[in-house]
Amino acid sequence: MIDCSEKVEVPATKPYITFQGAGRDVTVIEWHDRACDPGPDGAQLRTYRTASVTVLANHFSARNISFKNTAPAPLPGMEGWQAAAFRISGDKAFFTGCGFYGHQDTLCDDAGRHYFKDCYIEGSIDFIFGNGRSMYKDCEIHSTATRFGSIAAQFRTSREEKTGFAFVNCRVTGSGPIYVGRAMSQYSRIVYSYTYFDDIVAHGGWDDWDHKNEKNKTAFFGVYKCWGPGAAAVSGTSWARELDYDTAHPFLAKSFVNGRHWIANSDA
């Protein structure tokens, strides 16, 4: 195994960078910061600054490599234990054959258009989160939750925003119970299509975060032709929509992230 223990940042001034590994089980970049840890200025890092690898640049790509935060797993309700493995804040980022390992807040899908193909993403609480406009295709989403957990927390703030998370032909495995999505903001948007769910989905399937502001009336949580022993629970709340093909279609192709302009057909 090639294990690199350091904290890495790709600044906005360095576009078109590629991280190429020898396989996600072979090449790993890892660090161990938590939100409650002090930064160089003595103040707490907080969540977004904990990432083992942070990418602020556009046109980033990563292939066959893993990113890990080795901080211990928190129990639900513990404060300051958010620990991101990766933060992507640049536009037009592509990942294939990559692994993302952590517990709470593993993958900060912060901002921009992103495409994840054949990736493995592991965590326990809100372990894919942010306001990215992202497609997850043929990925394994693996829960390590013990008492309770959640997969995706998305932060769209208005109906006009084009952000959201689209999961297509993925596998949701691991331990539970978990919510498959949470309304991190008023207009959170998350859609699962053609996705397999282990029997780990919590009753109701989805969570409106703080039970205030009637987010269940403004969030867009969709399901299209999902399957597996946990699939029925994914549709277990009245405000998670069972989509028809016309409604689901925008979330099924790389056009969701305008990928025709920057993702090669061989990569999609």
Side-chain angles (χ1 to χ4, degrees):
M1 176 180 286
I2 305 166
D3 192 346
C4 176
S5 295
E6 63 176 308
K7 197 160 180 171
V8 178
E9 179 174 305
V10 179
T13 54
K14 299 286 186 180
Y16 297 100
I17 295 289
T18 295
F19 285 9
Q20 176 78 53
R24 69 174 177 85
D25 296 326
V26 178
T27 309
V28 182
I29 301 175
E30 65 179 34
W31 197 245
H32 51 256
D33 279 342
R34 299 171 300 171
C36 61
D37 292 338
D41 58 359
Q44 289 189 355
L45 287 172
R46 305 182 69 83
T47 303
Y48 285 76
R49 294 168 64 199
T50 64
S52 302
V53 175
T54 296
V55 175
L56 305 176
N58 296 338
H59 300 284
F60 174 84
S61 63
R63 297 173 182 270
N64 305 320
I65 187 171
S66 283
F67 309 97
K68 183 180 292 187
N69 191 310
T70 59
L75 294 173
M78 294 181 71
E79 296 185 1
W81 281 58
Q82 298 91 337
F86 195 94
R87 173 185 167 193
I88 176 63
S89 302
D91 193 28
K92 299 180 182 178
F94 176 81
F95 304 83
T96 183
C98 295
F100 302 86
Y101 297 84
H103 297 287
Q104 183 171 358
D105 294 355
T106 302
L107 174 55
C108 179
D109 192 342
D110 183 27
R113 291 164 290 180
H114 313 136
Y115 193 88
F116 297 81
K117 178 74 180 296
D118 293 319
C119 291
Y120 176 90
I121 305 159
E122 179 178 288
S124 57
I125 301 169
D126 300 337
F127 59 96
I128 302 171
F129 76 101
N131 198 25
R133 179 179 171 186
S134 302
M135 175 163 282
Y136 295 82
K137 180 87 175 289
D138 303 329
C139 295
E140 181 172 359
I141 315 297
H142 188 79
S143 167
T144 60
T146 52
R147 289 169 53 184
F148 222 93
S150 51
I151 297 173
Q154 207 277 330
F155 197 72
R156 189 172 70 139
T157 57
S158 75
R159 286 192 178 91
E160 288 68 40
E161 268 193 296
K162 296 180 179 180
T163 61
F165 298 156
F167 297 88
V168 182
N169 198 38
C170 293
R171 292 182 59 84
V172 174
T173 62
S175 56
I178 57 164
Y179 291 120
V180 300
R182 299 215 295 156
M184 192 177 179
S185 193
Q186 194 71 37
Y187 293 89
S188 176
R189 184 163 67 163
I190 304 168
V191 175
Y192 289 91
S193 303
Y194 302 118
T195 292
Y196 168 88
F197 290 91
D198 265 355
D199 190 15
I200 59 174
V201 180
H203 178 73
W206 305 82
D207 178 62
D208 60 0
W209 191 271
D210 54 11
H211 311 296
K212 298 177 183 177
N213 302 321
E214 297 187 317
K215 290 179 182 176
N216 56 7
K217 295 182 179 178
T218 54
F220 187 98
F221 291 158
V223 182
Y224 181 68
K225 293 194 174 181
C226 293
W227 60 291
V234 177
S235 303
T237 183
S238 61
W239 41 282
R241 312 178 192 189
E242 281 281 358
L243 306 180
D244 58 22
Y245 177 77
D246 289 340
T247 311
H249 185 258
F251 304 95
L252 297 177
K254 65 181 180 180
S255 56
F256 178 67
V257 294
N258 299 130
R260 183 168 59 88
H261 304 290
W262 58 277
I263 302 171
N265 288 335
S266 57
D267 283 332

